[in-house]
Amino acid sequence: MLEDFLNSIQNFKRNKTRTFLSLLGVIIGVAAVIIITSMGESSTKQVQDTFGTNGLDIVEIRSGFMRRNRDSITLVLDESFRENLFDGVKDIKKIWYKNSLSATLSVGEVSASVSCTAIEYGYLEMYGFQLEEGKFFSVSDVEEGMQKIILSHDMAEQLFPDGNALGQKIMLVVDKVTFGFKIVGITKDQTTGMETGTAFIPRGFYSKKIKPNPSADSVLVQVTSQEKSSPMVQTLTSYCKNLTGTDSVRVNSMKTMIEQVSKITETMSLLLAAVAAISLLVGGIGIMNIMIVTVTERRQEIGIRKALGANQKDIMQQFLIESASITVIGGILGIIFGILISLVLEYIKGMSFALSFQACIVSFVFSLFVGIFFGINPALRAAKLDPVVALSL
């Protein structure tokens, strides 16, 4: 077998142009599969990096638009809902309430429109926020409704371009009503996760001064482990549907969103890789045609080998190995070129490089299969040649 492989290499050297054309289809097919799967892996990784790892154990409940009917019940996200939810559903670790409001922050002549979030104790820590300076809200800050505010780095820089925002007084205008707050914390830039608020106040203040005894805009349910986030989405959807009689309540989680995006990306990559693999089959047909021509050209060689005692199995093995050698070499070169091109494309796009080793193995094995499959017909033709006829030509 090794001797047949070495002989095939010598034959390739004697017919360089023909060999190159045979390799080209395989190289393009394998490289295309590697590039497509690599881009898909990189896109999935980019999505995961965008969302981050904080908050993957959180499921969010929002009361959406409801078409009223006789049997429907409006879902009120109040304290009784929190108590019943905690008692009625398993695998819940903690429940947070939050409210969002559009407001204007102003310092002297400088002002900015913000999406402000009224939060409970531990909310920012749960989402993995880090402080640039200052401190988070304490339990008493939230319960007593203290007039304290935490700003994002960008918002603090916008309102206080000279720095020193911590400890400063700031005005919050909501529905033409002005409230004074003290800045107690500045968060670092938060580039991942679902929480992108720029200003945070204690929910206790919101419920006492801005909107007394409010229901929550959103309920955030922290499950006991990340693996239970996706099942919890289905559980809470059914729970809320049983309460309201409608599908109006929106339940989602960051983990579910990542899984859905990843699944779409993987499906698209698989379809595109399958299309790219067709070029491998086209390359295989080209190899079969070239091998048939090779058999015709080497009839005398086949006749001499048979005259010296080679049987049909030996001749068939020789040409099968030669056909498979083309696709093996093409597969290896295709993987190398595919990785190099993927590196260049992902560098240009600013994406982190990700390689699917499974795709490399599958494309290599498939290229080997193509070589053997499309080499069977020429090998059989060579094996069945009559040595007398072959030598007489």
Side-chain angles (χ1 to χ4, degrees):
M1 188 176 292
L2 178 60
E3 184 181 349
D4 290 331
F5 175 73
L6 295 175
N7 288 334
S8 66
I9 298 298
Q10 293 300 320
N11 290 324
F12 296 158
K13 289 180 179 179
R14 285 195 294 267
N15 299 284
K16 293 179 182 178
T17 303
R18 183 187 298 173
T19 302
F20 173 74
L21 293 174
S22 301
L23 288 172
L24 198 59
V26 179
I27 292 172
I28 292 172
V30 172
V33 172
I34 299 300
I35 292 167
I36 290 168
T37 53
S38 177
M39 294 294 286
E41 290 279 336
S42 297
S43 298
T44 301
K45 189 174 184 298
Q46 190 173 39
V47 170
Q48 293 171 344
D49 291 341
T50 299
F51 282 100
T53 56
N54 294 314
L56 293 180
D57 56 348
I58 298 297
V59 178
E60 184 177 21
I61 302 173
R62 282 178 176 269
S63 184
F65 172 77
M66 182 181 296
R67 214 167 11 178
R68 297 298 298 274
N69 58 57
R70 222 170 28 174
D71 302 319
S72 67
I73 300 173
T74 302
L75 183 65
V76 179
L77 304 177
D78 56 10
E79 288 302 318
S80 63
F81 176 80
R82 190 198 313 244
E83 293 173 8
N84 294 333
L85 181 63
F86 201 85
D87 294 336
V89 179
K90 295 180 179 179
D91 299 322
I92 293 179
K93 184 178 179 181
K94 194 171 178 64
I95 299 174
W96 279 275
Y97 276 20
K98 76 169 185 178
N99 291 86
S100 299
L101 59 150
S102 297
T104 301
L105 289 175
S106 62
V107 180
E109 296 182 356
V110 181
S111 63
S113 297
V114 297
S115 175
C116 188
T117 308
I119 60 173
E120 296 182 328
Y121 170 73
Y123 177 85
L124 293 177
E125 296 93 319
M126 174 271 295
Y127 260 122
F129 276 79
Q130 294 183 345
L131 287 171
E132 193 172 274
E133 52 183 330
K135 59 183 180 180
F136 291 116
F137 297 137
S138 64
V139 176
S140 60
D141 289 339
V142 175
E143 294 298 325
E144 295 173 16
M146 303 298 290
Q147 290 178 243
K148 297 180 178 180
I149 191 168
I150 295 174
L151 301 179
S152 68
H153 169 83
D154 289 342
M155 183 53 61
E157 197 173 58
Q158 183 178 343
L159 294 170
F160 297 90
D162 297 330
N164 301 318
L166 190 67
Q168 298 290 332
K169 299 290 184 178
I170 194 169
M171 308 307 292
L172 180 73
V173 183
V174 183
D175 296 330
K176 298 181 180 180
V177 180
T178 303
F179 303 94
F181 283 84
K182 179 182 179 181
I183 301 171
V184 296
I186 309 294
T187 64
K188 293 181 179 179
D189 288 333
Q190 184 79 351
T191 57
T192 61
M194 294 181 69
E195 178 56 74
T196 56
T198 54
F200 303 92
I201 62 173
R203 191 167 182 270
F205 178 83
Y206 177 85
S207 62
K208 291 177 181 178
K209 300 291 180 70
I210 298 178
K211 189 176 181 181
N213 302 314
S215 61
D217 296 330
S218 301
V219 174
L220 295 112
V221 179
Q222 185 178 29
V223 295
T224 53
S225 66
Q226 292 183 6
E227 291 71 25
K228 294 179 181 178
S229 293
S230 296
M232 183 60 75
V233 171
Q234 300 300 323
T235 301
L236 292 180
T237 299
S238 299
Y239 178 85
C240 293
K241 185 176 181 179
N242 289 336
L243 289 178
T244 63
T246 70
D247 293 317
S248 63
V249 178
R250 292 173 292 172
V251 182
N252 57 60
S253 73
M254 191 163 67
K255 187 173 178 62
T256 303
M257 291 170 64
I258 292 174
E259 288 173 351
Q260 289 174 345
V261 172
S262 298
K263 188 174 181 179
I264 292 170
T265 304
E266 288 171 4
T267 302
M268 290 299 296
S269 296
L270 184 61
L271 289 173
L272 291 172
V275 172
I278 293 174
S279 64
L280 270 175
L281 295 176
V282 174
I285 294 171
I287 290 171
M288 182 175 67
N289 291 333
I290 289 172
M291 288 301 297
I292 290 172
V293 173
T294 301
V295 170
T296 304
E297 291 177 346
R298 293 163 59 186
R299 283 184 174 184
Q300 281 195 332
E301 177 192 330
I302 297 167
I304 292 170
R305 289 199 65 186
K306 283 197 168 186
L308 293 175
N311 56 34
Q312 286 190 359
K313 181 183 177 182
D314 296 328
I315 301 298
M316 188 172 180
Q317 177 179 288
Q318 175 190 354
F319 282 91
L320 274 178
I321 289 175
E322 191 165 322
S323 175
S325 298
I326 295 176
T327 53
V328 166
I329 295 170
I332 293 171
L333 292 175
I335 290 171
I336 294 170
F337 281 116
I339 292 172
L340 292 175
I341 295 171
S342 298
L343 279 168
V344 172
L345 290 175
E346 286 160 25
Y347 175 77
I348 293 172
K349 286 181 166 289
M351 301 167 66
S352 57
F353 176 71
L355 179 66
S356 172
F357 291 102
Q358 184 179 1
C360 292
I361 294 169
V362 170
S363 58
F364 177 78
V365 172
F366 186 65
S367 66
L368 177 61
F369 167 77
V370 166
I372 294 173
F373 180 79
F374 286 101
I376 290 175
N377 183 271
L380 283 172
R381 289 191 179 203
K384 292 179 179 179
L385 269 179
D386 187 325
V388 176
V389 176
L391 288 171
S392 65
L393 296 174

